[in-house]
């Protein structure tokens, strides 16, 4: 039980940090971010995702690295 409490405190702290970062950088109301999940398309429509590329994670990272270096 003590470990569960500690883990939940860490999750809550990360959630608060994430919400702060998102609401500072996006036109999203904090109350609209309460643990719901959504598809990439829905995130795009809500302004949480900049672009849907259709690329795999490996492909996208490789593209980012190619652009930066």
């Amino acid at each position: 039980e003590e470990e569960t409490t500690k883990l939940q405190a860490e999750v809550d702290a990360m959630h608060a940090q994430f919400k702060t970062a998102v609401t500072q950088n996006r036109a999203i109301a904090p109350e609209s971010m309460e643990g719901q999940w959504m598809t990439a398309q829905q995130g795009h429509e809500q302004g949480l995702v900049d672009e849907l590329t259709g690329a795999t994670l490996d492909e996208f990272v490789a593209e980012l690295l190619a652009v930066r270096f």
Side-chain angles (χ1 to χ4, degrees):
E1 170 113 1
E2 183 180 333
E3 288 299 315
T4 301
T5 301
K6 287 180 183 178
L7 181 59
Q8 187 62 55
E10 289 296 319
V11 169
D12 292 345
M14 284 187 277
H15 178 250
Q17 184 180 12
F18 175 77
K19 262 176 93 166
T20 298
V22 171
T23 56
Q24 285 178 348
N25 295 293
R26 303 284 178 163
I28 303 292
E31 58 273 6
S32 69
M33 298 176 56
E34 293 303 325
Q36 67 275 35
W37 67 273
M38 62 188 70
T39 65
Q41 181 64 43
Q42 291 167 325
H44 188 258
E45 291 166 1
Q46 300 257 344
L48 294 169
V49 175
D50 291 330
E51 180 181 3
L52 299 175
T53 66
T56 66
L57 178 60
D58 288 341
E59 292 167 341
F60 189 73
V61 170
E63 183 180 326
L64 286 175
L65 291 174
V67 169
R68 290 183 183 250
F69 299 104

